[in-house]
Amino acid sequence: MPRVFSGIQPTGEPHIGNYFGAMQNYVKLGNLYGKNSIYCVVDLHALTSPTSFDRELLSQRTFEMALANFAVGLDPQQVTFFVQSHVPEHQELSWIFTNITPVGDLERMTQYKDKTEKLESIPAGLLMYPVLMAADILLYKADTVPVGEDQTQHIELTREIARKFNHAFGETFPEPKAEYNRQALRIPGVDGNGKMGKSKGESSTIGLLEPLDSIWQKLRVAPTDPARVRRTDPGDPDKCLIGDYHKLFSDLPTIDLVYQGCRTAGIGCVDCKKLLLQSMTGHLTPIQERAQELRGDPDYVRDALAQGAREARAIAAPIMEEVRTKVGFLKL
């Protein structure tokens, strides 16, 4: 049976891009592979964001990300779910991998170049981010990694690190493959400026647990097909982010109504947005209600994370001991 690993950052409020791009897939794979599905909130990776050095904020966001995953249906009794920093073997393996990874390989990473473009002082953590990611995956000898397209380079580097370690110290790690969620590879931001992402701020994102009134205020002013200058102008829903959102949230009859209505000017953009809000309400309300229940029982979330960390360490510890032996660390 495949062993799946994926991590999700707690750098901001969970949004619908996280949900369709990762969290939904976690539930599906958990149903297929049970405890061989290993997921964690990667709080160590989050430290590459300057705002994460707010102690209370990092802790709160880590808790909220775990809570959100449970609210969408991830069962901590079925999968292994934990917080990255609660399993110290991640850092230890990362340091070993750091010493077999050329700096040039890391400097060629597209995400590194994009993120450092506007920085005056570049933290070393941004450069080493892919090495820690490789350690996250290989620590559990995972062979399947659900990721977005923007992580392709990092998976290729992980495969290269596995090959280098195996060549230097003997066959140890599999070369993992990426598994892409084709349903939602690129969800546009609600402001119309590129992909939805936490780093772009609240104006770009629709929070998974955001109040519906607040979501409507964002949808109300969201850009639509620029060809629809007047109510009577026909448009192309494939060129409209509201059309993209309908494909995620709405049922087929609603999508057909919206697409036909847009192309014939049978409905206006405001009507289209109101139909979208109805679909989103039906989809998000059960998740938000479950999240509210979990907030009323925070010990459930904390106990689940503690249990997940114990399960993760039970897998990681013997693999890390194998690595120490092969590398040649002194045993006492």
Side-chain angles (χ1 to χ4, degrees):
M1 181 179 290
R3 176 171 285 171
V4 176
F5 178 89
S6 187
I8 189 165
Q9 281 206 45
T11 47
E13 180 184 1
H15 57 68
I16 62 170
N18 300 135
Y19 175 59
F20 287 106
M23 297 161 77
Q24 248 190 359
N25 208 27
Y26 290 176
V27 176
K28 182 189 77 171
L29 293 172
N31 291 334
L32 289 173
Y33 304 126
K35 288 294 182 182
N36 263 17
S37 298
I38 302 172
Y39 307 121
C40 71
V41 183
V42 286
D43 54 345
L44 296 173
H45 284 291
L47 293 178
T48 59
S49 171
T51 59
S52 291
F53 278 94
D54 181 323
R55 180 178 63 187
E56 292 184 2
L57 187 60
L58 177 60
S59 177
Q60 175 192 343
R61 285 178 170 174
T62 300
F63 180 87
E64 283 288 312
M65 184 58 75
L67 180 148
N69 274 275
F70 298 157
V72 303
L74 195 69
D75 183 354
Q77 301 304 314
Q78 183 181 44
V79 304
T80 301
F81 190 93
F82 63 100
V83 175
Q84 183 186 26
S85 63
H86 295 170
V87 181
E89 287 85 355
H90 285 256
Q91 298 98 300
E92 183 179 359
L93 186 58
S94 177
W95 177 247
I96 292 171
F97 286 167
T98 293
N99 290 283
I100 61 171
T101 306
V103 170
D105 288 357
L106 299 174
E107 290 177 331
R108 282 191 287 274
M109 293 290 113
T110 302
Q111 279 202 3
Y112 171 75
K113 290 187 283 189
D114 289 346
K115 289 181 178 181
T116 58
E117 214 169 41
K118 299 176 183 179
L119 296 178
E120 293 182 9
S121 177
I122 301 170
L126 275 178
L127 183 66
M128 306 313 301
Y129 183 108
V131 181
L132 178 56
M133 180 174 169
D136 296 336
I137 297 164
L138 297 177
L139 180 59
Y140 302 97
K141 297 191 176 182
D143 50 28
T144 303
V145 187
V147 291
E149 278 187 325
D150 57 349
Q151 295 291 325
T152 298
Q153 263 193 318
H154 291 169
I155 299 300
E156 287 305 313
L157 181 66
T158 298
R159 292 168 59 85
E160 178 64 22
I161 289 172
R163 285 192 291 269
K164 284 185 176 180
F165 187 94
N166 293 344
H167 178 74
F169 301 107
E171 196 65 29
T172 308
F173 298 112
E175 294 182 28
K177 67 180 187 298
E179 177 173 297
Y180 300 106
N181 181 1
R182 298 293 176 186
Q183 180 189 7
L185 288 177
R186 187 176 178 84
I187 296 176
V190 72
D191 59 0
N193 293 321
K195 179 181 174 182
M196 186 175 293
K198 288 175 280 193
S199 63
K200 295 184 178 180
E202 291 185 3
S203 63
S204 167
T205 63
I206 294 177
L208 186 63
L209 307 180
E210 186 173 351
L212 292 168
D213 287 347
S214 175
I215 291 175
W216 170 245
Q217 293 308 315
K218 292 178 179 179
L219 293 178
R220 189 176 58 82
V221 297
T224 55
D225 180 2
R228 299 205 70 180
V229 178
R230 293 175 295 273
R231 166 67 176 76
T232 54
D233 292 332
D236 184 350
D238 288 321
K239 295 180 180 178
C240 175
L241 68 88
I242 302 300
D244 291 336
Y245 290 171
H246 269 291
K247 285 184 280 189
L248 295 171
F249 286 102
S250 297
D251 58 23
L252 287 176
T254 303
I255 293 172
D256 288 342
L257 171 66
V258 165
Y259 270 52
Q260 177 69 11
C262 180
R263 288 177 174 139
T264 62
I267 64 172
C269 293
V270 173
D271 297 322
C272 182
K273 291 175 179 180
K274 287 179 178 178
L275 287 170
L276 174 61
L277 183 67
Q278 289 177 16
S279 297
M280 295 180 74
T281 299
H283 204 104
L284 297 180
T285 296
I287 295 172
Q288 295 186 358
E289 288 176 348
R290 175 58 177 153
Q292 195 59 33
E293 291 174 10
L294 290 169
R295 287 197 183 95
D297 187 12
D299 287 344
Y300 172 87
V301 178
R302 295 184 184 278
D303 290 346
L305 292 175
Q307 177 62 29
R310 288 191 292 269
E311 293 169 353
R313 292 203 75 183
I315 301 168
I319 294 174
M320 198 63 233
E321 186 59 31
E322 177 188 0
V323 169
R324 294 187 197 107
T325 299
K326 288 182 174 179
V327 170
F329 291 143
L330 176 65
K331 293 186 177 181
L332 298 178

